[in-house]
Amino acid sequence: MTSRRTRKIDPAAYDALTEALARIYWYKPDLARFLRIRASEHPELVSGLDFTNYKIVFAGQFVERLRVGEDRYQDLTLSLMLEISQMESFPTLKRQPEAEKLLTQARDAVADLKTWTERFRGLLEERAAVEEQQAQQVEREKHRRGFTQRLSELKEEFLRLWVDTDRQGAGRAFEAFLFSLFELFDMQPRLGFDLEFQQIDGSITFDTDDYILEAKWLKGAVEAGPLMLFNDKVRRKGKNALGLFISVNGFSSGARSAFHEGTAFLTVDGTDLFYVLDDRVRLDELLMRKKRHANDTGDCYFPAQLMLDD
């Protein structure tokens, strides 16, 4: 990953890193293995290094490559500095005849490096913040892919129901469809299918409000009568009650006119649903616009198409 930072690492810090690398391991293969593993995403950093040479020599060559390519390798450099500055145990040094001297040199080198990591705390915090943002973005993309896939599946289900000749069976399936759609948008649906009236009753919760819900999929548009009954039902629930009436085949002009200047409910038709399922309009944003329109004008009808025309 290429660093986007403009702040540079002090050259003396690179020297401290070289010294620490040369001191923390006794055996050359151990240090070589450490460098190869840490540079696994950038093999060019260890390519051609003579690991049979003195540790201070090939450690210096490795660090010099980090320094020259700082714009690209700053993240790796900071990771190395932070990791080494936190080392407290040096097993390969303990087994040597001059262990006490070697351990003192290693601890001093690590302590010196640690003073630089403290000075670079801002860079380290910036690095951590960038990594956190990247992780959150990956998670958002993962969630978005799952969300989009589920929305696409619901769109296919909606289109299947549209051509289903078994309307009673389609009505029951429409209940399950609406439940899944509201659940996808975290609206806590509580629905039930009324066979006698071929309608879905229940409620959803959105934006701290509870909505009384009624949904119909009739052969034609819903007329004013059912809306009047629903409006009275919502008003009986109290002054702050809200309603949501879904009619896949829309509402007659007379029905819309009856609730053009005063309404206790919002309306959703099949075109609205299709725009949501086609991911052109989000359901939560659509309901917010419908509610704002109803509050401002008293009109129950606000088509999703108007959001696309804004």
Side-chain angles (χ1 to χ4, degrees):
M1 180 175 61
T2 302
S3 174
R4 298 179 182 178
R5 302 184 184 88
T6 57
R7 295 175 60 188
K8 296 292 185 179
I9 297 175
D10 193 295
Y14 283 106
D15 293 340
L17 177 59
T18 300
E19 181 69 14
L21 284 170
R23 296 294 185 184
I24 59 177
Y25 290 104
W26 175 253
Y27 298 108
K28 297 175 185 178
D30 290 335
L31 178 57
R33 188 180 307 110
F34 176 83
L35 295 178
R36 286 194 179 100
I37 291 173
R38 298 306 181 274
S40 59
E41 295 184 6
H42 300 287
E44 68 277 7
L45 287 171
V46 294
S47 177
L49 291 184
D50 182 5
F51 289 117
T52 65
N53 208 330
Y54 298 113
K55 288 180 293 182
I56 193 70
V57 173
F58 67 75
Q61 292 170 341
F62 176 84
V63 172
E64 178 62 12
R65 292 178 179 184
L66 292 177
R67 188 193 66 77
V68 172
E70 180 170 351
D71 288 344
R72 183 178 185 185
Y73 303 128
Q74 192 183 84
D75 284 336
L76 175 59
T77 303
L78 291 171
S79 292
L80 278 171
M81 287 182 170
L82 185 60
E83 179 182 2
I84 295 171
S85 69
Q86 294 174 339
M87 288 184 176
E88 297 178 352
S89 177
F90 311 94
T92 63
L93 302 181
K94 290 181 179 179
R95 296 192 292 268
Q96 305 310 311
E98 297 184 7
E100 185 174 344
K101 176 182 177 182
L102 297 174
L103 287 170
T104 298
Q105 291 174 341
R107 289 173 183 139
D108 288 346
V110 167
D112 184 37
L113 184 62
K114 191 170 185 176
T115 64
W116 287 106
T117 63
E118 291 297 324
R119 297 183 194 184
F120 296 142
R121 182 168 296 280
L123 276 175
L124 291 167
E125 290 174 351
E126 177 188 339
R127 174 178 176 270
V130 169
E131 290 178 347
E132 177 64 20
Q133 290 173 0
Q134 291 173 336
Q136 290 176 357
Q137 181 63 26
V138 168
E139 189 61 29
R140 283 194 294 269
E141 288 299 322
K142 180 181 177 182
H143 176 75
R144 179 62 185 169
R145 286 193 296 271
F147 177 91
T148 302
Q149 179 180 351
R150 184 67 184 120
L151 196 62
S152 178
E153 292 169 352
L154 287 171
K155 178 182 174 181
E156 292 179 8
E157 174 67 7
F158 183 68
L159 295 176
R160 186 190 67 77
L161 292 176
W162 197 287
V163 298
D164 194 337
T165 57
D166 178 9
R167 296 318 301 165
Q168 189 175 102
R172 291 187 179 279
F174 187 45
E175 176 196 357
F177 162 83
L178 285 177
F179 184 94
S180 296
L181 179 62
F182 288 129
E183 188 177 46
L184 183 63
F185 284 89
D186 297 329
M187 293 184 180
Q188 305 172 39
R190 297 167 292 280
L191 308 180
F193 183 71
D194 189 323
L195 182 61
E196 182 179 358
F197 297 101
Q198 287 288 294
Q199 71 185 34
I200 297 165
D201 297 303
S203 65
I204 61 170
T205 298
F206 168 64
D207 193 29
T208 71
D209 294 319
D210 287 327
Y211 285 77
I212 299 167
L213 175 72
E214 188 166 315
K216 290 180 179 290
W217 196 333
L218 306 178
K219 290 182 179 180
V222 167
E223 297 292 343
L227 292 186
M228 290 178 180
L229 293 174
F230 184 62
N231 192 64
D232 290 342
K233 178 181 177 180
V234 175
R235 291 196 183 281
R236 286 196 301 271
K237 295 291 183 179
K239 182 175 63 175
N240 297 321
L242 297 168
L244 181 64
F245 198 112
I246 300 174
S247 171
V248 176
N249 282 320
F251 304 88
S252 69
S253 58
R256 295 201 302 269
S257 296
F259 295 94
H260 181 64
E261 296 181 348
T263 183
F265 61 89
L266 312 176
T267 58
V268 169
D269 61 22
T271 303
D272 292 334
L273 289 176
F274 186 79
Y275 281 135
V276 170
L277 295 168
D278 206 37
D279 208 12
R280 285 189 265 177
V281 174
R282 287 183 60 93
L283 180 59
D284 47 3
E285 294 173 356
L286 177 60
L287 292 187
M288 288 179 68
R289 286 294 300 273
K290 286 178 178 287
K291 180 181 176 183
R292 187 188 315 153
H293 177 74
N295 288 339
D296 291 344
T297 67
D299 190 359
C300 72
Y301 183 70
F302 179 89
Q305 177 66 46
L306 294 180
M307 292 181 65
L308 302 180
D309 293 340
D310 285 350

